[in-house]
Amino acid sequence: MMTEEAFSLIPFPAAGIPDITITGTISRRNNLLTLHYSVTGSTEKIFLPPPTARPGRKAELWKQTCFEFFLAKKEEPQYWEFNLSPSADWNAYHMDAYRRVGFREETLIHGMAIEARWTSQTFSLDGEVDLSPIVQKDAALGVGI
């Protein structure tokens, strides 16, 4: 079964933020979740970490530019946070309930495929993760980008 949804993020109103637009798609085929983020506008004003030679699990990616999404089983309080960096580093966290109750790294997720592309006016990031270690392929999920 394949599902796909488009998204467009709305920036938090704040002074001095760059004039950018972030859009993308998220799709799920069986238990493979694929995300595509596209950043357009004043991308030169955003710090985008360069690709690393050996990408892997890295803590505190939110202290630099990272893309994230949240995943939950419908009607359950537990959820996961996934961080994807332009460097291709990543992390996944599990929480027992809202606002980081029981916050810990999700050790059942062993990797994510991340590909970043820069052009003169656009930055794109594609990410893919197999959810099989944490959810059944027919589980109804809620996702926040």
Side-chain angles (χ1 to χ4, degrees):
M1 182 170 110
M2 168 81 155
T3 58
E4 182 172 298
E5 295 286 331
F7 61 84
S8 180
L9 300 181
I10 300 168
F12 185 80
I17 62 171
D19 183 22
I20 60 169
T21 301
I22 303 174
T23 59
T25 58
I26 182 168
S27 62
R28 181 180 181 197
R29 181 177 182 95
N30 295 319
N31 240 4
L32 191 62
L33 193 70
T34 303
L35 294 107
H36 171 76
Y37 296 87
S38 180
V39 182
T40 57
S42 301
T43 58
E44 73 281 357
K45 294 182 180 180
I46 305 168
F47 173 72
L48 295 167
T52 186
R54 298 171 110 162
R57 184 185 295 267
K58 187 174 180 184
E60 299 182 340
L61 290 171
W62 57 82
K63 289 186 175 181
Q64 298 182 7
T65 302
C66 83
F67 297 80
E68 59 185 14
F69 67 94
F70 301 87
L71 178 76
K73 296 177 188 177
K74 294 276 187 174
E75 310 302 324
E76 291 189 24
Q78 69 174 329
Y79 69 101
W80 292 267
E81 174 183 328
F82 292 82
N83 299 160
L84 298 79
S85 172
S87 69
D89 290 321
W90 63 275
N91 213 334
Y93 300 96
H94 185 203
M95 277 126 318
D96 297 325
Y98 186 64
R99 290 289 180 202
R100 296 186 158 209
V101 173
F103 180 79
R104 62 199 176 273
E105 281 190 350
E106 178 53 82
T107 57
L108 296 176
I109 299 292
H110 297 289
M112 293 184 71
I114 299 172
E115 182 182 343
R117 291 177 305 287
W118 286 261
T119 67
S120 61
Q121 298 180 359
T122 303
F123 170 76
S124 298
L125 184 133
D126 292 317
E128 192 171 78
V129 60
D130 180 3
L131 300 176
S132 297
I134 58 173
V135 297
Q136 295 178 335
K137 69 179 182 179
D138 58 350
L141 301 177
V143 178
I145 304 290

